[in-house]
Every structure is written in structure tokens, then in C-alpha cells.
């Protein structure tokens, strides 16, 4: 009946809130544990030479993430206890702060790189020698945790949207779009760090808006696929190359000022497509 359906949806909404609250508290504990443990040890005066000055390369904007979640997002989630439908509003309220994840994704080192393995081994031995409390998790797992948590938020919001009205507020879908954009922007920024041979100062071209594959034609002849990076002031053409298994770069091929571009939209089987022409 209708009453049973409404009751079931409300119960599901409460379960989502309860699960998120538990996850968020655990996540904040992990963020604080890394900051107070691993990051403090990286400031030690007797740090090995090969690890000195590498704290920011490992932990990027970790302190900003810790402050955001412990001071703002966690209290906001706790405050929705009697109205779990308001969960989406917690995220939408802080939509700008979720761009911290985009910056984190850009700077995060590869988990299998020498820096992570060397730091992991040193920090483990150092903590044992000092008798420190056990860390929240091994270093590679901690570095991956922010990405996993962002994915968890998206999955929760997808479930919230699926509940439908009145338990899925109108803000649920826009909030999901905010978080998926943060994910996408992070992937795009990270890809931009693999551009090679570019004679243009990309830091002067405005914000990176998107990166994607583009089919390139000259007249009626197909020239192939290019990985393009669209900045406010520049469209950059690159070619994806794999110098060694598991690692790729984007080799510079060409660049066009956006002021000199034409853009047109057409409908295709998979949805809208865009053509760029000069």
C-alpha cells in the first residue's frame, strides 16, 4: 500500500543517513590520524635526505581536507539526524569546497611510485621505533582514501535520488552533479600533468574546462584521434603515447586560441556532439 511504501522509503533514507554518518566519522578520524601521525613525522629534523621536502608531494592539500570535513561537513551531517532528507543540502552548501578533491586528485602521487614506497617503509619503521599509536592504515591506503570517500558520496546520492519524492529532495540530483564534476575535473587536471613538449605556458591560459578525445579531420581526410585540453583561452591538441606499460603521456601537437575557434553542435546517436572548426 501507499503507507507501506512511504514508510519503507523513509526507513531507507534514515539508513543512508546513518551509514553516511558512520562513514564520515571514520573518515575524519583517518584524516586526523594521518595529519597527526604520518605528516608530523615528515617534519622531523632527522628525516632521510631522499624524503626531505616531499611532504607536500605526498599529502598535497590534506590539511585543508581535514579542516573542511572535521569543522564543516561532519557537523552538518550530524545536524540532519531528524531529517535525513536534508542530506543533499549538506553537500550542496559546500559545493565549492569539494573542488579540494579535484586539486587533491591532480597532485596525488601514483601509489606504486618510489616516493610512496620509500615513505611508507620509513614511516612504518619510525612509528615502531618511537612506539607511536598504530596508523589509521598503511600509507598507500590512506592516500587513496579521499578518492574512495568521494566515490562513496556519489553512490549515496544516487541511492537518494532513486528513492524519489518526497524523500529525495529536488537538490539531490544537482548535488550529485556537483560531486561528479569534482571527480571529472580532478581526472582532467591529473591528465594535464602528463602533457609533454608544450611550448605554451598553460598556467596563463585560464581554467582547464575539459579534456577528451577529438576526431581530427583535414578537408575530407580523417587525420586520427587527438586528446584535446580545452582551457578558457586555448584549445590544446595532443597525442596519447605510452612510453612504458602502465604509463602514458600526452605529446603536444598543436594549439589554437579559443578566440579563433568556431563551435557547432549536432545530434548523434549517443547524444549531442560538438564540432570545432577554424
Amino acid at each position: 500500500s501507499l503507507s507501506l511504501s512511504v514508510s519503507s522509503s523513509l526507513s531507507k533514507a534514515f539508513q543512508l543517513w546513518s551509514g553516511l554518518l558512520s562513514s564520515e566519522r571514520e573518515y575524519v578520524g583517518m584524516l586526523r590520524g594521518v595529519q597527526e601521525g604520518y605528516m608530523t613525522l615528515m617534519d622531523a629534523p632527522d628525516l632521510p635526505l631522499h624524503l626531505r621536502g616531499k611532504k607536500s608531494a605526498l599529502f598535497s592539500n590534506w590539511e585543508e581536507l581535514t579542516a573542511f570535513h572535521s569543522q564543516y561537513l561532519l557537523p552538518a551531517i550530524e545536524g540532519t539526524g531528524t531529517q535525513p532528507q536534508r542530506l543533499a543540502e549538506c553537500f550542496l552548501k559546500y559545493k565549492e569546497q569539494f573542488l579540494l578533491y579535484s586539486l587533491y586528485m591532480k597532485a596525488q602521487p601514483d601509489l606504486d611510485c618510489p616516493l610512496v614506497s620509500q615513505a611508507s617503509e620509513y614511516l612504518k619503521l619510525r612509528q615502531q621505533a618511537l612506539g607511536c599509536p598504530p596508523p589509521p592504515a598503511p600509507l598507500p591506503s590512506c592516500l587513496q582514501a579521499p578518492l574512495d570517500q568521494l566515490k562513496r558520496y556519489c553512490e549515496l546520492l544516487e541511492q537518494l535520488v532513486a528513492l524519489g519524492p518526497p524523500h529525495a529532495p529536488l537538490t539531490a540530483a544537482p548535488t550529485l552533479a556537483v560531486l561528479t564534476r569534482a571527480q571529472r575535473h580532478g581526472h582532467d587536471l591529473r591528465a594535464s600533468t602528463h602533457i609533454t613538449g608544450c611550448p605554451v605556458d598553460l598556467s596563463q591560459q585560464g581554467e582547464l574546462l575539459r579534456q577528451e578525445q577529438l576526431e581530427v579531420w583535414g578537408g575530407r581526410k580523417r587525420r586520427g584521434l587527438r586528446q584535446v585540453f580545452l582551457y578558457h583561452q586555448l584549445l590544446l591538441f595532443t597525442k596519447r603515447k605510452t612510453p612504458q606499460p602502465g604509463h602514458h603521456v600526452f605529446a603536444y601537437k598543436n594549439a589554437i586560441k579559443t578566440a579563433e575557434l568556431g563551435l557547432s553542435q549536432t545530434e548523434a546517436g549517443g547524444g549531442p556532439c560538438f564540432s570545432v572548426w577554424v
Side-chain angles (χ1 to χ4, degrees), residues 37-148:
Y38 287 142
M39 294 177 67
T40 298
L41 291 176
M42 290 294 292
D43 290 327
D46 58 348
L47 193 69
L49 285 175
H50 64 280
L51 292 179
R52 292 183 184 178
K54 302 298 183 182
K55 178 181 175 180
S56 61
L58 282 168
F59 300 105
S60 180
N61 56 349
W62 196 277
E63 292 175 337
E64 289 86 351
L65 285 172
T66 303
F68 164 50
H69 283 273
S70 61
Q71 298 175 24
Y72 298 99
L73 189 60
L74 176 57
I77 293 172
E78 290 174 332
T80 65
T82 57
Q83 295 178 288
Q85 314 91 294
R86 292 173 50 205
L87 272 181
E89 297 174 15
C90 296
F91 294 93
L92 198 59
K93 179 180 180 180
Y94 299 112
K95 62 181 181 180
E96 295 301 323
Q97 283 82 352
F98 278 99
L99 292 177
L100 288 171
Y101 281 89
S102 303
L103 299 177
Y104 180 81
M105 292 170 69
K106 176 184 179 181
Q108 185 199 29
D110 292 330
L111 299 184
D112 59 351
C113 74
L115 174 60
V116 172
S117 59
Q118 292 167 5
S120 181
E121 183 63 21
Y122 166 76
L123 292 170
K124 178 181 177 180
L125 294 175
R126 188 64 175 162
Q127 286 186 316
Q128 291 175 349
L130 294 174
C132 298
L139 179 61
S141 298
C142 289
L143 295 178
Q144 179 63 27
L147 277 64
D148 292 340

Side-chain angles (χ1 to χ4, degrees), residues 184-185 188 207-212 228-231:
R184 174 71 196 219
H185 190 50
D188 291 349
E207 181 186 358
L208 174 62
L209 302 176
R210 283 295 295 269
Q211 67 89 22
E212 192 55 85
V228 297
F229 295 80
L230 177 61
Y231 293 84

Side-chain angles (χ1 to χ4, degrees), residues 167-203:
H167 305 294
L170 296 177
T171 54
T175 303
L176 178 59
V178 166
L179 298 190
T180 54
R181 179 184 179 275
Q183 281 184 316
R184 174 71 196 219
H185 190 50
H187 287 303
D188 291 349
L189 289 174
R190 188 168 182 81
S192 73
T193 65
H194 296 289
I195 296 172
T196 62
C198 182
V200 182
D201 184 357
L202 297 177
S203 67

Side-chain angles (χ1 to χ4, degrees), residues 200-244:
V200 182
D201 184 357
L202 297 177
S203 67
Q204 301 300 313
Q205 306 308 314
E207 181 186 358
L208 174 62
L209 302 176
R210 283 295 295 269
Q211 67 89 22
E212 192 55 85
Q213 280 192 336
L214 183 71
E215 197 171 38
V216 177
W217 290 72
R220 295 180 178 275
K221 184 178 180 181
R222 183 177 182 273
R223 299 288 181 86
L225 291 175
R226 293 290 182 265
Q227 200 77 17
V228 297
F229 295 80
L230 177 61
Y231 293 84
H232 268 298
Q233 301 175 28
L234 191 79
L235 180 64
L236 183 74
F237 292 80
T238 69
K239 185 174 182 178
R240 179 175 175 141
K241 295 184 176 181
T242 307
Q244 53 183 310

Side-chain angles (χ1 to χ4, degrees), residues 1-16:
S1 68
L2 179 60
S3 61
L4 288 176
S5 176
V6 170
S7 177
S8 176
S9 295
L10 183 59
S11 175
K12 179 63 175 178
F14 186 82
Q15 289 174 17
L16 290 175

